[in-house]
Amino acid sequence: MRNPYRSQKIAFFFLFLATLLIVVPVGLIVIVIIQKGLPAISWQFLSDIPRQGMRSGGIFPAIIGTLYLVSGAIIFALPIGLLAAIYLSEYSKDNLLTRIIKLAIVNLAGVPSVVYGLFGLALFVVFLKFGVSILSGSLTLGIMILPVIITTSREALESVPQSFREVSLSLGASKWQTIRHIVLPNAIPGILTGTILGLGRAAGETAPILFTVAAFYLPQLPKSIFDQAMALPYHLYVISTQVPNVDEKIRYGTALVLLTLVLFMNLVAIVIRYKFRKKKKW
Amino acid sequence: MVNPVRNNKLAENAKMKDKNTISNGVKFAIKNLDIWFGTIHALKQVSMEIEANEILGAIGPSSSGKTTFLRMLNRLNDLSPNFRMNGEVKLENDNIKNIDAQFLRKRVGMVFALPLSLPLSIFDNVAYGVKMHGVKNKKLLQNKVEESLKEAYLWDEVKDRLNESAFKLSGGQQQRLCIARTLAVSPEVILFDEPCSGLDPISTAKVEDAMVKLKQKYTIVLVTNNVKQAARVSDRTAFFLNGELIELDKTELIFTGPKDKRTDGYIRGKFG
Ligand SMILES: Nc1ncnc2c1ncn2[C@@H]1O[C@H](COP(=O)(O)OP(=O)(O)OP(=O)(O)O)[C@@H](O)[C@H]1O
Ligand SMILES: [Mg+2]
């Protein structure tokens, strides 16, 4: 027999190695982007429109466009997603149909984003005649992040102990009062996490906005939700592949801004979770 | 096991019934009640009456259907998806099926086995039910909370920390908080499901004291795994076995000369 203590040590070593294998490449990417992008960051870069065929100037319209799209997506997806999650976790009966629906929603989260892009093109741009616009793009992104929001919210709601519901009902509260005052408040951290993960995804994806909203080059800000807009991920794609001779600095600078935006949102999620977890006591 | 103090209480109780209660002192009338969860036959042909202002003890081994019986009375069983029932349960002449569940549960409160505080402050735990019934006035809520906490013998221990989380209280305090919370909605009946199962002897004594005093205003049904507790507090005791109501009689009689051998066996600790 081998010494069990030694095999434990070996197991720990491999587990540690596996973790390292994940952390190191991600860390490297971030470091490279920061290193190469940071010199580009300046007030002018953040606040100016792109100039000289996007080879100089700033990325302000793309930042604004992405913010619009993300806000639009969340305004659309959060209420619908939350209501769907409440229905699925609190009201629907546990039967085959419900289970199929839940499974389908989970799987929708894994559908490639370009499929959502095509769907958005067909439904919003062409069929509903919203045109290539912020509205179409926001709705497409919203639909793309709905599954994430529904699934995480539903799991958050379901993780609230059944006993809390029974206590509330046993005191004569109605089902809706129970959901509103007991279940929802205790599910907020999970719901927010799902929402912000969805937001991060919406901010970073290129394919869904490609056909539905993104403008190749639009040096002014959108005036209404029926305008086209630039967006960070698409802009990055354009200056990296479609326009020759763009300074590396500008490309990495754009990537850095996008990365910071997404990381910032995740950070907000972490802080909110942490705050709520300190209060949570069961 | 029979003590004279309790006999006096019974006598007092008999007088109260004449004075205060409706429907000849019968709170619940249960007839031929059958309950199933899927294929499990949890209660079989149970018929009994629960009198107003009595403490009815329910004893019996594990899975004998005590909790199911209790949760029937405030229709909490309705929450289980595979629940089915037959027979009739009347609360003061109204079939409970025809009473709106919310209203029924306001009249028939429940204290659970484990101290289940809601994740709220001490104050909000007690005020919760009252608020849900539409009371918004701060002063009114404060009075109600104070009154209920006093009735549950908890006020002195928590009056300076009402805004702290209820989870900071000890298990015994939380259980009395749960009692206060139930009292706050002014029920007529209070159901206790093994309220002392997780408590030390001193906390248990406090909860038992509270129950005996509460009897003056409320009807109490106490499910307990602790046979001695039933002997100490209940006026009448029901013995359940495998979903059947084997025997129901005055507590003295159950504990001195039960009619059924199985009751005798159980209280002497032969099984369960
Ligand atoms: N929600 C439910 N779903 C399915 N079966 C249930 C449910 N509630 C109770 N049962 C079953 O009904 C029977 C009676 O259970 P009950 O909880 O009433 O017993 P009990 O006398 O309270 O036992 P204990 O002393 O262990 O609490 C058991 O066989 C139990 O498995
Ligand atoms: Mg039980």
Side-chain angles (χ1 to χ4, degrees):
Chain A
M1 260 314 266
R2 287 249 195 86
N3 176 356
Y5 184 68
R6 222 187 49 208
S7 28
Q8 168 169 315
K9 260 190 159 172
I10 294 172
F12 278 166
F13 175 73
F14 278 107
L15 291 172
F16 177 71
L17 210 66
T19 315
L20 212 64
L21 232 61
I22 300 166
V23 173
V24 168
V26 175
L28 275 180
I29 293 172
V30 172
I31 289 171
V32 167
I33 289 178
I34 292 179
Q35 201 190 24
K36 294 195 174 175
L38 209 53
I41 304 295
S42 64
W43 178 242
Q44 196 219 359
F45 184 68
L46 295 176
S47 65
D48 198 4
I49 59 168
R51 290 173 198 281
Q52 295 174 8
M54 296 182 266
R55 287 182 190 87
S56 77
I59 55 169
F60 186 59
I63 297 178
I64 289 298
T66 286
L67 289 180
Y68 279 169
L69 287 174
V70 167
S71 320
I74 215 64
I75 288 172
F76 166 69
L78 182 58
I80 295 185
L82 191 54
L83 291 177
I86 291 177
Y87 175 76
L88 285 173
S89 100
E90 306 295 323
Y91 288 96
S92 70
K93 294 220 169 64
D94 186 28
N95 53 27
L96 190 66
L97 182 68
T98 315
R99 263 176 271 161
I100 290 175
I101 290 176
K102 286 180 186 173
L103 193 69
I105 291 173
V106 172
N107 283 318
L108 272 180
V111 170
S113 54
V114 67
V115 176
Y116 286 103
L118 279 173
F119 175 75
L121 174 67
L123 180 64
F124 301 121
V125 179
V126 178
F127 184 73
L128 293 175
K129 299 199 173 66
F130 294 156
V132 175
S133 64
I134 292 183
L135 181 62
S136 297
S138 296
L139 291 173
T140 308
L141 286 173
I143 287 194
M144 181 186 75
I145 63 175
L146 255 182
V148 179
I149 293 184
I150 295 178
T151 305
T152 45
S153 303
R154 181 172 62 75
E155 277 163 7
L157 293 167
E158 282 170 0
S159 74
V160 176
Q162 181 64 16
S163 53
F164 287 174
R165 297 183 176 83
E166 289 194 354
V167 166
S168 172
L169 292 171
S170 80
L171 289 165
S174 69
K175 185 157 185 169
W176 173 245
Q177 285 178 320
T178 302
I179 293 170
R180 164 76 187 71
H181 294 278
I182 301 294
V183 181
L184 269 183
N186 287 296
I188 281 180
I191 294 170
L192 283 177
T193 309
T195 308
I196 294 178
L197 284 178
L199 278 185
R201 181 149 184 233
E205 286 284 355
T206 313
I209 55 175
L210 194 58
F211 321 118
T212 54
V213 48
F216 188 80
Y217 176 62
L218 192 70
Q220 80 250 14
L221 297 182
K223 291 186 192 64
S224 86
I225 56 170
F226 293 104
D227 284 354
Q228 276 188 283
M230 295 181 80
L232 280 173
Y234 184 62
H235 183 64
L236 185 58
Y237 165 73
V238 165
I239 57 175
S240 305
T241 63
Q242 309 293 304
V243 183
N245 304 327
V246 178
D247 191 354
E248 191 184 65
K249 219 173 63 173
I250 293 188
R251 287 173 0 217
Y252 278 95
T254 309
L256 181 59
V257 170
L258 180 57
L259 194 70
T260 312
L261 202 73
V262 174
L263 285 182
F264 177 74
M265 285 190 231
N266 287 335
L267 195 70
V268 172
I270 292 168
V271 170
I272 294 173
R273 272 177 86 92
Y274 178 73
K275 283 228 161 116
F276 274 94
R277 186 161 300 163
K278 276 211 303 205
K279 279 207 271 171
K280 178 168 155 176
K281 290 276 168 41
W282 68 83
Chain B
M1 268 203 224
V2 186
N3 69 42
V5 181
R6 267 183 18 85
N7 283 343
N8 290 344
K9 265 189 257 139
L10 274 181
E12 269 169 44
N13 195 25
K15 268 183 261 156
M16 301 239 341
K17 263 177 229 156
D18 300 336
K19 270 190 299 185
N20 301 359
T21 51
I22 329 157
S23 63
N24 299 324
V26 175
K27 260 293 160 192
F28 275 108
I30 298 150
K31 241 192 236 152
N32 301 332
L33 177 65
D34 274 293
I35 289 180
W36 293 267
F37 292 103
T39 52
I40 300 170
H41 199 173
L43 277 187
K44 300 166 190 159
Q45 288 290 312
V46 172
S47 298
M48 67 152 90
E49 285 179 350
I50 300 174
E51 288 164 27
N53 297 86
E54 76 170 338
I55 299 186
L56 176 78
I59 57 173
S62 196
S63 319
S64 54
K66 307 178 298 291
T67 299
T68 306
F69 170 69
L70 209 60
R71 288 164 66 96
M72 176 70 236
L73 300 177
N74 66 351
R75 279 178 53 190
L76 222 49
N77 281 329
D78 292 12
L79 302 181
S80 308
N82 50 3
F83 161 78
R84 255 179 331 120
M85 67 165 280
N86 237 333
E88 163 182 280
V89 180
K90 277 183 170 175
L91 173 60
E92 291 183 350
N93 299 327
D94 295 320
N95 192 324
I96 60 169
K97 267 192 220 157
N98 305 329
I99 307 177
D100 176 53
Q102 253 170 279
F103 188 57
L104 175 72
R105 291 176 190 146
K106 186 179 178 310
R107 291 175 65 187
V108 183
M110 181 156 194
V111 176
F112 295 81
L114 295 170
L116 286 171
S117 304
L118 293 169
L120 302 167
S121 71
I122 296 173
F123 183 93
D124 287 332
N125 257 280
V126 183
Y128 180 78
V130 190
K131 278 190 195 160
M132 293 304 113
H133 294 114
V135 177
K136 292 212 178 71
N137 184 314
K138 272 242 169 71
K139 194 81 207 139
L140 224 66
L141 284 172
Q142 274 166 2
N143 290 342
K144 197 74 209 174
V145 168
E146 179 172 344
E147 185 191 310
S148 309
L149 283 170
K150 279 181 177 157
E151 238 183 326
Y153 300 96
L154 190 60
W155 175 250
D156 291 329
E157 290 162 60
V158 301
K159 62 175 181 239
D160 303 320
R161 45 195 292 213
L162 290 174
N163 291 320
E164 280 178 32
S165 161
F167 293 110
K168 290 206 177 135
L169 297 174
S170 75
Q173 288 174 323
Q174 286 193 45
Q175 195 58 304
R176 276 177 284 147
L177 181 71
C178 295
I179 296 178
R181 182 176 67 192
T182 306
L183 296 177
V185 294
S186 317
E188 300 160 30
V189 182
I190 306 177
L191 312 172
F192 287 90
D193 190 1
E194 298 176 29
C196 304
S197 53
L199 304 186
D200 67 285
I202 294 178
S203 304
T204 301
K206 286 186 182 169
V207 172
E208 286 179 6
D209 281 350
M211 282 192 285
V212 171
K213 298 236 169 63
L214 291 174
K215 171 172 88 164
Q216 293 168 13
K217 278 170 70 181
Y218 310 92
T219 303
I220 291 176
V221 185
L222 166 67
V223 163
T224 174
N225 264 333
N226 178 347
V227 174
K228 291 201 182 109
Q229 181 171 57
R232 279 195 301 267
V233 268
S234 59
D235 299 312
R236 293 194 306 151
T237 299
F239 174 59
F240 285 88
L241 184 64
N242 296 330
E244 281 174 79
L245 173 62
I246 304 293
E247 195 169 352
L248 167 60
D249 217 326
K250 289 224 172 78
T251 300
E252 293 94 312
L253 295 176
I254 291 282
F255 282 93
T256 52
K259 295 194 187 78
D260 198 293
K261 301 208 287 299
R262 291 169 289 181
T263 317
D264 197 43
Y266 181 69
I267 55 179
R268 285 165 195 270
K270 287 213 183 108
F271 57 93

